[in-house]
Amino acid sequence: NAGVTQTPKFQVLKTGQSMTLQCAQDMNHEYMSWYRQDPGMGLRLIHYSVGAGITDQGEVPNGYNVSRSTTEDFPLRLLSAAPSQTSVYFCASSYSSRANEKLFFGSGTQLSVL
Amino acid sequence: GESVGLHLPTLSVQEGDNSIINCAYSNSASDYFIWYKQESGKGPQFIIDIRSNMDKRQGQRVTVLLNKTVKHLSLQIAATQPGDSAVYFCAERGSGSRLTFGEGTQLTVNP
């Protein structure tokens, strides 16, 4: 099993550019989520999904869009990148949307916005 | 609001010693807690979890202790090895079933 796979691992963008961070899981997990990790702030929830076709906002959703067309995939879109979005992004999944337990994380995408 | 924090930002131990990493939480209604290990350049890796109806849970070389009276969580690592060097952070599940993560403690194991 590959678990949670994120691509790309590194990305540099110019202000105003758009891009999509990819996330896929092969564990048939209902729950998927995106976090950003910044120094001194811990992991913060951006968006999450409790199943295909269902998404909701987390703690810091502004500037990001998500969709969940399949159980396996949960891409994160930056429509117009800003320097404040420079961060490390992690995708995570869990077996149960209700329990929100034992999140399995991907290896992360390090994003720099110039 | 909910908050999770760590008492010590860094911890340095000798190989073979036991390590204790602490975590304080503020939401008395939190019903679930989890510890993660994060090595440099990698994603967080699940270590162990505990529900609020338990005081202690043991895994392989790790033990989590929960003291609900003082809202304190600790992770004990037995016979610490160089491969245990990483950032460790805890998370609590409070209202809305969301996980709130602490900032982490950097554990360094000296050979």
Side-chain angles (χ1 to χ4, degrees):
Chain A
N1 275 348
V4 179
T5 303
Q6 287 184 239
T7 56
K9 291 191 69 65
F10 302 95
Q11 184 70 51
V12 179
L13 293 177
K14 294 181 180 179
T15 298
Q17 285 185 316
S18 63
M19 79 158 297
T20 299
L21 307 185
Q22 301 292 343
C23 176
Q25 53 90 11
D26 62 359
M27 297 173 283
N28 201 31
H29 283 174
E30 291 183 350
Y31 182 89
M32 296 187 74
S33 55
W34 278 100
Y35 287 86
R36 60 179 288 172
Q37 187 175 43
D38 301 291
M41 300 193 74
L43 288 162
R44 292 183 293 167
L45 181 64
I46 304 172
H47 285 286
Y48 66 97
S49 169
V50 298
I54 305 169
T55 63
D56 207 345
Q57 296 180 349
E59 181 184 357
V60 287
N62 292 340
Y64 308 95
N65 283 344
V66 292
S67 60
R68 184 95 179 270
S69 57
T70 67
T71 299
E72 294 79 18
D73 300 299
F74 191 46
L76 178 71
R77 298 183 185 87
L78 285 71
L79 297 179
S80 180
S84 61
Q85 294 179 305
T86 294
S87 186
V88 181
Y89 292 85
F90 290 100
C91 180
S93 71
S94 175
Y95 72 96
S96 172
S97 58
R98 291 183 296 109
N100 196 9
E101 299 178 356
K102 284 187 181 177
L103 287 175
F104 290 85
F105 285 86
S107 58
T109 296
Q110 186 169 326
L111 175 67
S112 295
V113 183
L114 306 178
Chain B
E2 301 173 26
S3 66
V4 177
L6 294 168
H7 293 310
L8 297 175
T10 62
L11 177 64
S12 183
V13 300
Q14 292 298 122
E15 181 178 358
D17 287 351
N18 297 333
S19 302
I20 300 176
I21 302 171
N22 297 306
C23 181
Y25 65 95
S26 60
N27 187 353
S28 57
S30 292
D31 65 347
Y32 173 81
F33 304 86
I34 188 168
W35 280 100
Y36 282 95
K37 171 186 180 183
Q38 187 174 20
E39 296 175 273
S40 181
K42 296 185 178 180
Q45 178 185 358
F46 169 83
I47 301 173
I48 192 167
D49 57 358
I50 188 168
R51 300 185 189 280
S52 59
N53 61 355
M54 302 172 67
D55 297 322
K56 178 180 179 179
R57 193 172 188 209
Q58 289 184 295
Q60 187 176 11
R61 282 201 306 118
V62 295
T63 300
V64 56
L65 298 177
L66 176 63
N67 186 330
K68 294 180 286 294
T69 301
V70 295
K71 289 184 283 191
H72 183 268
L73 189 71
S74 68
L75 176 71
Q76 300 179 0
I77 304 173
T80 313
Q81 303 167 0
D84 294 326
S85 292
V87 173
Y88 291 81
F89 54 88
C90 65
E92 63 174 319
R93 184 177 67 192
S95 57
S97 295
R98 297 239 182 117
L99 287 176
T100 301
F101 292 85
E103 296 175 21
T105 292
Q106 174 69 57
L107 175 66
T108 301
V109 181
N110 302 308

